[in-house]
Amino acid sequence: MGETVPALRVGLAGYGVAGALFHAPLIAATPGLSLSAVVTRSPERAAEVARKYGARAVGDAAELWGVCDLVVVASPNRTHVPLAEAALRAGVPVVVDKPLAATAAQARGLAELARERGLMLTVFQNRRWDGDFLTIRRLLSSGELGTVNRLESRFERWRPVPKGGWRESGGAEEVGGLLYDLGSHLVDQALSLLGPVTRVYAESDARRPGVAADDDTFVALTHLSGARSHLWMSALSPMPGPRFLVAGSRAGYSKHGLDVQEERLRAGLSPSVPGFGDEPPQRWGTMGAGDDLHPVRTEPGAYLDFYRGVVASLREGAPAPVDPEEAIETLTVLEAARRSATEGLVVGL
């Protein structure tokens, strides 16, 4: 019998919403990974990671470099670049929560450093494994939609009272606001589905009292193919629109409501539970044209596939689940959108 390969020891920098809700349970549920250490100075969080994952708490990210085989950066956005750079220079592969950096230039520097060191660098774009997004990919691959003319995609919420924290109250130095938060997902999905972008137009506002970063933003993309993407991200939508609305030359696809995986993670369900990403039929989307409409089964969501891809990359040399070059392309579009919203113009790429 062959020897059992030890699990890769994972160090998690950050145990806020991203670290505690997404990364920690996904790492713990992925074969070949073991959550070994978590950066937190909170006694309550330290007790939690020990109880739930058998991980130890450390006070500084630098303590991870020598004791972990992989570092996951899930700390505030402004720390992504310095922490990822420090890990790479210490010889440790890195997963960085989106956005990879504040600018495409910073992201390009990290990608170059990873290549020089021969280390994996990837970005946690979990929404590529949402069931509704996977469904659209399936419908495009099968040709059922025909050629896509327009993609509408929304992350809209009703939060008239700010929650506080750096995402809402910080300036540009915090890399906060919805454009770089939810917009990172929406732009990444649009590029993955419809390819490169030639023009960007955006409108962006901070509408709630006391909020310094954008909380109501719209981005329009013109793709090289001629398709257009209209992307909404808002904390002030009393009546959210469809999560996706795809107009193709043969048929359309409409889907309301968010992927089920986040709500199940919030409920404490393990991602390893059978059916974790399955959506009930009453939440399926609709496909068709004119009066000929019918429900379409939603593909099972598969967040675990991201970390399975990380294991395959580190163990077998497979491509990283998200190529840093794709993250650079997304950041290029986000920068163009910020410039468009500030200057009131269409930005060519």
Side-chain angles (χ1 to χ4, degrees):
M1 296 179 62
E3 295 183 4
T4 301
V5 178
L8 295 163
R9 300 165 300 169
V10 182
L12 177 58
Y15 198 70
V17 172
L21 182 64
F22 289 96
H23 292 280
L26 290 170
I27 292 165
T30 302
L33 295 181
S34 172
L35 186 58
S36 175
V38 176
V39 180
T40 179
R41 294 186 177 90
S42 163
E44 293 78 16
R45 292 179 179 179
E48 178 179 320
V49 298
R51 182 183 75 255
K52 293 179 70 172
Y53 306 110
R56 66 188 183 95
V58 299
D60 190 273
E63 297 181 56
L64 301 176
W65 313 153
V67 297
C68 294
D69 305 302
L70 170 69
V71 166
V72 176
V73 178
S75 47
N77 291 352
R78 61 180 169 76
T79 68
H80 287 186
V81 171
L83 287 179
E85 181 178 355
L88 291 169
R89 292 195 182 281
V92 186
V94 185
V95 170
V96 184
D97 205 304
K98 58 79 197 166
L100 176 57
T103 68
Q106 291 176 344
R108 196 170 291 111
L110 287 178
E112 290 173 357
L113 178 60
R115 280 193 295 269
E116 290 171 2
R117 298 299 176 101
L119 297 168
M120 185 203 71
L121 170 66
T122 192
V123 186
F124 186 64
Q125 286 285 4
N126 61 301
R127 296 295 178 175
R128 291 192 188 185
W129 289 271
D130 276 0
D132 45 23
F133 179 76
L134 294 174
T135 302
I136 295 173
R137 293 196 78 108
R138 184 189 81 213
L139 296 175
L140 288 176
S141 297
S142 69
E144 294 173 76
L145 295 175
T147 301
V148 173
N149 298 315
R150 188 181 307 277
L151 167 73
E152 295 184 14
S153 181
R154 294 171 169 85
F155 273 127
E156 296 178 318
R157 298 163 174 165
W158 176 236
R159 291 179 178 170
V161 178
K163 297 173 65 176
W166 62 268
R167 293 185 188 277
E168 295 180 332
S169 60
E173 70 281 356
E174 294 286 353
V175 202
L178 291 187
L179 177 62
Y180 275 72
D181 182 17
L182 301 178
S184 293
H185 290 307
L186 296 177
V187 170
D188 176 76
Q189 288 183 328
L191 292 173
S192 296
L193 290 172
L194 300 178
V197 166
T198 59
R199 294 195 301 276
V200 180
Y201 169 76
E203 301 167 1
S204 187
D205 295 285
R207 297 193 180 276
R208 293 172 297 172
V211 170
D214 69 287
D215 59 6
D216 188 24
T217 295
F218 167 75
V219 178
L221 309 178
T222 302
H223 295 266
L224 183 63
S225 66
R228 297 181 185 270
S229 292
H230 286 177
L231 314 175
W232 287 264
M233 57 227 74
S234 179
L236 281 168
S237 293
M239 299 178 66
R243 172 66 187 89
F244 281 111
L245 182 59
V246 185
S249 59
R250 293 183 179 176
Y253 172 77
S254 176
K255 178 71 168 64
H256 285 75
L258 295 178
D259 176 86
V260 297
Q261 294 173 97
E262 179 175 343
E263 67 185 66
R264 289 173 179 171
L265 286 169
R266 288 184 181 276
L269 195 65
S270 169
S272 62
V273 171
F276 175 80
D278 293 348
E279 186 175 72
Q282 61 268 28
R283 293 176 63 162
W284 289 354
T286 302
M287 180 183 163
D291 295 328
D292 182 17
L293 304 177
H294 59 274
V296 174
R297 177 184 61 85
T298 302
E299 286 288 310
Y303 286 173
L304 273 180
D305 280 359
F306 173 83
Y307 274 109
R308 289 178 180 135
V310 168
V311 173
S313 179
L314 295 177
R315 293 289 197 201
E316 304 164 19
V322 177
D323 192 312
E325 294 300 322
E326 296 171 325
I328 292 168
E329 187 177 8
T330 293
L331 284 164
T332 300
V333 173
L334 292 175
E335 287 183 90
R338 175 167 283 178
R339 180 184 167 201
S340 172
T342 301
E343 301 179 13
L345 47 74
V346 176
V347 178
L349 296 180

